């Protein structure tokens, strides 16, 4: 039986969710999987520095260098397969993946989204925009969701959710930080462990 599920994390920016995953592996919260690779679609993503500091292998693949979405995805698939990746975690990865890509890794890709899906999700809802929309709507509770990734943006099966209170006077930035701290950084590692354990069980069968 395989000892650990090989995890690749796809990132675009600051990488605080990647940090939460690396910390969770270090503390043993994630013990059925190990982060083997970090792939960024942005060469200046600080997430790359976090990975390098932790001694994790990194790769950069940009749409610009690849010339098209199709070639961009093909190159990512090549890198993921060369590393024998079992589980792909989108942690602030700001590029929508095609059906061809998501089908290639059916039930092997999970994503963290900073709202309680089905609110404030889908195309155009990413990063701070999600929190701006929540505040504009006047919701009193928001949160984060971890879900499987399929061809519908933010439309795959929900794995975990956690609610977070909106406070009087919140700005999108303040709300984003609270949602990250109280929800994303907790449920993403927990879901990564749950799915890694499931994948290990499947390979044992
Ligand atoms: C996180 O809040 C993540 O949920 C969000 O971007 C931020 C990335 O932060 N992702 C999306 O909006 C995807 N639809 P990080 O780089 O510090 O982890």
């Amino acid at each position: 039986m395989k000892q650990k599920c090989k995890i690749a994390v796809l990132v675009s920016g600051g990488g605080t969710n990647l940090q939460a995953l690396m910390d969770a592996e270090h503390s043993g919260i994630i013990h059925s999987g190990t982060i083997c690779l970090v792939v960024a679609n942005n060469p200046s993503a600080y997430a790359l520095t976090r990975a390098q500091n932790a001694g994790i292998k990194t790769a950069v693949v940009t749409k610009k260098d690849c010339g098209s979405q199709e070639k961009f995805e093909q190159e990512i698939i090549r890198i993921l397969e060369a590393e024998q990746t079992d589980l792909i975690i989108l942690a602030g990865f700001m590029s929508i993946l095609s059906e061809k890509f998501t089908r290639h890794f059916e039930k092997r890709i999970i994503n963290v989204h900073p709202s309680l899906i089905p609110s404030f999700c889908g195309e155009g809802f990413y990063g701070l925009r999600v929190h701006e929309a929540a505040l504009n709507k006047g919701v009193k509770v928001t949160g984060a969701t971890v879900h499987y990734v399929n061809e519908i943006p933010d439309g795959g099966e929900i794995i975990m959710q956690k609610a977070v209170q909106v406070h009087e006077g919140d700005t999108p930035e303040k709300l984003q930080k609270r949602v990250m701290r109280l929800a994303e950084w907790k449920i993403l590692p927990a879901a990564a462990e749950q799915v890694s354990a499931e994948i290990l069980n499947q390979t044992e069968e």
Side-chain angles (χ1 to χ4, degrees):
M1 183 193 161
K2 209 171 176 166
Q3 299 232 301
K4 285 199 188 217
C5 180
K6 293 185 88 180
I7 300 173
V9 186
L10 271 54
V11 296
S12 300
T16 64
N17 278 288
L18 168 67
Q19 190 66 54
L21 289 165
M22 295 188 304
D23 293 348
E25 184 179 345
H26 192 72
S27 70
I29 291 171
I30 297 177
H31 51 85
S32 302
T34 181
I35 303 166
C36 297
L37 175 70
V38 170
V39 182
N41 66 344
N42 163 17
S44 52
Y46 184 66
L48 288 168
T49 308
R50 294 182 190 269
Q52 283 151 7
N53 287 345
I56 296 171
K57 190 169 175 179
T58 60
V60 176
V61 184
T62 69
K63 216 175 286 183
K64 195 164 162 250
D65 288 342
C66 294
S68 69
Q69 178 71 22
E70 197 179 358
K71 291 200 177 122
F72 167 71
E73 292 186 2
Q74 275 170 2
E75 179 60 6
I76 298 179
I77 291 175
R78 191 191 64 73
I79 293 169
L80 293 172
E81 291 194 331
E83 215 53 46
Q84 296 173 312
T85 306
D86 299 303
L87 172 64
I88 301 157
I89 301 181
L90 309 185
F93 186 65
M94 302 301 183
S95 177
I96 292 178
L97 296 163
S98 73
E99 182 167 359
K100 202 170 167 191
F101 188 99
T102 59
R103 288 247 164 133
H104 195 94
F105 297 105
E106 189 113 45
K107 281 270 185 131
R108 294 297 176 104
I109 316 173
I110 67 172
N111 176 48
V112 61
H113 182 77
S115 75
L116 294 174
I117 290 176
S119 290
F120 314 116
C121 65
E123 224 165 323
F125 286 100
Y126 56 86
L128 267 184
R129 288 178 183 216
V130 178
H131 304 291
E132 275 161 16
L135 290 175
N136 286 340
K137 188 68 191 174
V139 295
K140 304 299 175 209
V141 174
T142 183
T145 303
V146 178
H147 62 92
Y148 283 108
V149 175
N150 65 8
E151 68 281 6
I152 303 158
D154 301 322
E157 186 189 328
I158 291 172
I159 302 167
M160 249 177 232
Q161 292 189 301
K162 193 162 192 289
V164 173
Q165 293 291 324
V166 177
H167 292 177
E168 194 74 35
D170 264 349
T171 60
E173 289 80 6
K174 275 191 187 171
L175 186 56
Q176 180 183 51
K177 286 206 180 85
R178 190 177 315 117
V179 169
M180 283 176 155
R181 183 169 54 84
L182 299 180
E184 295 185 52
W185 300 343
K186 292 194 158 64
I187 62 171
L188 185 59
E193 171 53 28
Q194 183 181 305
V195 176
S196 295
E198 279 166 20
I199 291 172
L200 281 187
N201 277 337
Q202 286 161 11
T203 51
E204 195 186 11
E205 279 160 11

